[in-house]
Amino acid sequence: MQALQNRTAGRRSVKYEEDLHKHLGLVLFGAYVLGSASSVAGMPGPVWLPTLTGAAIGGVFAAAHRYCSARVWRPPNAPLNILVTGGTKGLGKALAREFLTHKDSVVITGRSHAALAQTMAALQSELQGLGYEHTPQLRGIVCDVTQPQQVAALAEQAREMMGSVDVWICNAGCSGSFKHFLDQEPETIEAVVKTNLLGTLLCSREAAKLMLGQQLGGHIFIMDGAGADGSATPQYAAYGATKASFPQLAASLRAELASTHVGVHVLSPGMMLTELLLEGATAANKQAFNILCEHPETVAAFLVPRVRSAVSCGLNGTYTRYLTPASAIYRLLTSPGRIGRFFDASGAPVYAPEHERILGKGAKATARQQALARARTSSLGVAYSLSLALSFVVLSLDSHASAFTGH
């Protein structure tokens, strides 16, 4: 016990020193940049004014960084118990992998024992290949989320396996076929509505009942998709209609659970290269995918740290979006550098299969993309840089105006 306390204290000391260096760096860098820029630009007046201004800006952003690190970005002090429905492929599998890299315990669901066994074996192999010799517990439970009895049994089995469920991610979904709504078979429409809407309703209900019986409560995360913002989803009308209901469902659940320790959140993964997206896509569509899409493992690297921080900070009602309007605009502005990322001019895929991206030749590129996705300071960094630039412009205009008035 004493050794554990010493290691914990040591880690806290190292973290404190790292943060101290980072915060001092923000102050000193701001002072240096504005002071040097004013000298180079030949601004009249004392150089200490822009230097102090730069230091003050650095101090403000150092305080903001410290606040966010303590109150917004803070990771949990201990591993979490996670349940991910629809975890045998796509984003569900990527989420499971990412949680496991954080040493969390994970239960995934699928509709067949074969699919679960294949996914669990692949995840264990990938984690060992990534250097995780002692992987946390990964378990699988067969469950059809459209069946109330199976969902109730899922909640009970997950509790028995892990002791509690800190996070329940309602990820299981069905897209249906790529057809006009009038041409869709009734059976397909029923499958989409039952899996997406009924499945999410049943899972949210059982998750809330389970978490209400836990001393520390828990957090439910509902996965949105195309149509969640009310926009049209041609050829996927049923899918879009179900996803459009999720923000409203989350709001209703939050209202009903407001006086409890159960949080309800929404996750928005944006556009991912999955079977759903690629079905029926034209060559022109795929050129747009080069700009706006990412692989599931990159999106998972973005979502998971934010899910863990929401739990750690006791937040409720978060809506975590991977592809925001601002990031979409940035991608469009930088589109020349994204040509041919995933598809060539004819629409043929040029990206590696999942296993190669995780452990093969594409592993380093994947790791870089995931590191960028996990980063939490990019918006602060942009604001810091813009503040320094704006301050320089204001100081420059003020000094020249003063000089002109003096003449």
Side-chain angles (χ1 to χ4, degrees):
M1 179 63 71
Q2 185 62 44
L4 177 61
Q5 292 175 347
N6 291 338
R7 286 196 298 271
T8 302
R11 286 194 295 268
R12 288 176 179 172
S13 177
V14 170
K15 183 67 168 58
Y16 174 80
E17 291 180 4
E18 290 176 351
D19 288 345
L20 180 61
H21 292 158
K22 186 177 295 182
H23 297 155
L24 285 176
L26 288 171
V27 174
L28 295 176
F29 181 77
Y32 173 77
V33 167
L34 280 189
S36 300
S38 63
S39 298
V40 172
M43 289 184 190
V47 72
W48 58 263
L49 179 59
T51 301
L52 285 181
T53 301
I57 292 173
V60 169
F61 280 92
H65 184 278
R66 181 176 178 81
Y67 174 84
C68 289
S69 296
R71 301 297 180 89
V72 182
W73 303 332
R74 186 179 70 227
N77 294 324
L80 300 176
N81 296 328
I82 312 292
L83 190 156
V84 182
T85 63
T88 58
K89 60 182 179 179
L91 181 60
K93 179 183 177 183
L95 288 169
R97 184 192 301 111
E98 188 70 16
F99 278 116
L100 289 169
T101 64
H102 289 278
K103 303 188 185 307
D104 296 323
S105 294
V106 178
V107 168
I108 61 173
T109 74
R111 292 197 177 192
S112 72
H113 288 286
L116 281 171
Q118 181 178 4
T119 298
M120 292 171 64
L123 287 172
Q124 294 287 4
S125 175
E126 290 165 0
L127 288 167
Q128 291 175 5
L130 292 171
Y132 295 89
E133 296 181 1
H134 302 288
T135 57
Q137 292 292 332
L138 171 64
R139 305 173 180 89
I141 298 176
V142 174
C143 178
D144 181 349
V145 298
T146 69
Q147 302 300 312
Q149 292 181 342
Q150 292 191 34
V151 177
L154 168 64
E156 181 61 23
Q157 290 178 64
R159 185 190 64 78
E160 292 176 356
M161 287 178 172
M162 298 189 291
S164 63
V165 176
D166 301 309
V167 172
W168 185 313
I169 300 180
C170 300
N171 176 70
C174 174
S175 63
S177 55
F178 185 79
K179 290 182 181 179
H180 288 288
F181 183 65
L182 299 183
D183 297 329
Q184 292 279 3
E185 294 78 8
E187 297 80 7
T188 301
I189 297 174
E190 182 182 14
V192 171
V193 174
K194 288 180 69 175
T195 302
N196 295 355
L197 183 53
L198 178 61
T200 299
L201 286 167
L202 293 176
C203 285
S204 298
R205 178 174 178 270
E206 291 300 330
K209 290 169 61 178
L210 171 65
M211 292 171 181
L212 285 172
Q214 298 177 167
Q215 184 177 2
L216 298 179
H219 295 261
I220 303 167
F221 288 83
I222 298 173
M223 193 70 65
D224 82 358
D229 60 354
S231 59
T233 55
Q235 283 75 49
Y236 285 114
Y239 175 86
T242 60
K243 293 295 184 178
S245 69
F246 288 176
Q248 196 280 337
L249 170 61
S252 297
L253 289 176
R254 278 196 298 274
E256 292 188 9
L257 299 169
S259 61
T260 72
H261 295 296
V262 179
V264 183
H265 315 258
V266 180
L267 300 176
S268 180
M271 298 177 67
M272 294 177 297
L273 291 175
T274 60
E275 296 175 2
L276 163 63
L277 187 70
L278 297 180
E279 183 183 0
T282 65
N285 295 149
K286 292 175 181 178
Q287 301 314 307
F289 296 165
N290 283 330
I291 300 171
L292 297 173
C293 283
E294 287 296 344
H295 287 299
E297 59 267 19
T298 302
V299 177
F302 176 88
L303 295 177
V304 165
R306 288 154 178 84
V307 168
R308 301 181 85 248
S309 291
V311 176
S312 176
C313 298
L315 303 179
N316 190 11
T318 64
Y319 203 133
T320 305
R321 296 175 174 86
Y322 178 74
L323 186 65
T324 63
S327 62
I329 291 172
Y330 172 77
R331 286 170 176 267
L332 291 171
L333 292 174
T334 58
S335 58
R338 299 174 185 272
I339 295 175
R341 289 179 69 210
F342 304 123
F343 302 95
D344 62 19
S346 67
V350 295
Y351 57 89
E354 182 185 48
H355 184 75
E356 284 293 313
R357 298 196 306 269
I358 302 300
L359 295 179
K361 295 180 179 179
K364 289 185 178 180
T366 298
R368 286 194 297 269
Q369 289 294 323
Q370 289 179 313
L372 289 173
R374 294 185 188 106
R376 311 293 292 273
T377 59
S378 56
S379 56
L380 269 183
V382 171
Y384 176 61
S385 301
L386 290 176
S387 297
L388 290 176
L390 181 61
S391 298
F392 174 76
V393 171
V394 171
L395 288 170
S396 178
L397 292 174
D398 182 66
S399 62
H400 284 88
S402 299
F404 178 80
T405 304
H407 286 301

